[in-house]
Amino acid sequence: MAIRRIGLTGGIGSGKSTVAAVWVANGAALVDTDAIARSLTTPGGAAMPAVRAAFGDGLIDARGALDRQRMRDLAFADPSARRRLEAILHPLIGAEAVAQATRAAHRPVVFDVPLLAESAHWRSRCDRIVVVDCDEQTQVERVTRRSGWPADQVRRVLAQQAPRAMRRAVADAVIHNDGLTLELLQATANSLWALWVDGANA
């Protein structure tokens, strides 16, 4: 069977973006739902009128974009706020993701979706699902090093993401990214691509 659509997911700091970059270098079209969400909440973004109506001006920054830090703080304090934001964003993200995948024409498509494990809708769009997984402490160390966030803030983000076991349960393949060098992670991603895409489409 030709593998045309791969779902890619993993927790923050797992190494998912590195795997996505390898596959883009191999010719994939990347549909990044986080990037779509950011574009929807920039000044003039399609989601901003509904965001303003739902949350008021207090969560809009001076440029007219969603204040992501204030939204993150609110979501930690009030989980219903996160659900309200997702109710606004998810239909718009889904529509844009379909449009981007359609424009990819004959190229394989990689859907980079942090919430893939929680969504039967996203899983049904994919021929195969890959989870990039690692120990929580590894995630905390990577994110604090990369972003400068304090460790407790990273752990609060992790607490809002799907449990590792839930992600692994929906996977056709799991890339275990504990103790791997960058080169080994890239080689693993290349091997999976060769098996699933180059081999299946030969």
Side-chain angles (χ1 to χ4, degrees):
M1 182 184 78
I3 305 301
R4 305 300 306 170
R5 297 190 171 195
I6 297 175
L8 175 64
T9 194
I12 186 172
S14 64
K16 177 171 57 69
S17 297
T18 297
V19 173
V22 168
W23 290 346
V24 168
N26 282 327
L30 179 64
V31 177
D32 182 338
T33 58
D34 263 358
I36 293 172
R38 287 192 294 272
S39 72
L40 291 169
T41 54
T42 56
M48 289 312 297
V51 169
R52 189 183 296 273
F55 296 102
D57 291 336
L59 289 180
I60 312 299
D61 69 16
R63 302 175 302 119
L66 175 67
D67 188 319
R68 296 173 69 86
Q69 184 59 54
R70 287 187 180 179
M71 185 70 239
R72 192 178 294 115
D73 292 342
L74 176 62
F76 287 142
D78 178 8
S80 68
R82 178 183 177 182
R83 292 192 291 272
R84 282 185 286 147
L85 181 65
E86 289 175 345
I88 294 168
L89 291 181
H90 285 183
L92 297 171
I93 291 169
E96 177 60 21
V98 168
Q100 290 186 16
T102 300
R103 291 196 295 270
H106 302 297
R107 297 165 63 194
V109 176
V110 173
F111 292 103
D112 181 342
V113 186
L115 299 179
L116 189 148
E118 298 95 317
S119 171
H121 176 69
W122 274 110
R123 297 198 301 272
S124 69
R125 292 180 175 180
C126 302
D127 300 320
R128 294 285 189 275
I129 294 172
V130 177
V131 171
V132 186
D133 184 54
C134 64
D135 181 77
E136 181 175 306
Q137 184 57 35
T138 302
Q139 292 177 270
V140 172
E141 290 171 358
R142 286 175 180 161
V143 177
T144 54
R145 186 167 57 245
R146 178 183 72 200
S147 68
W149 290 2
D152 62 335
Q153 182 173 348
V154 181
R155 291 192 178 94
R156 286 196 299 170
V157 172
L158 289 173
Q160 291 195 334
Q161 296 188 334
R164 292 170 60 199
M166 180 180 177
R167 281 194 294 266
R168 292 195 300 264
V170 305
D172 295 293
V174 177
I175 297 176
H176 297 281
N177 188 25
D178 271 309
L180 294 184
T181 64
L182 176 61
E183 292 75 18
L184 277 174
L185 178 59
Q186 292 170 330
T188 302
N190 273 318
S191 295
L192 194 55
W193 184 268
L195 176 66
W196 277 3
V197 180
D198 294 340
N201 296 338

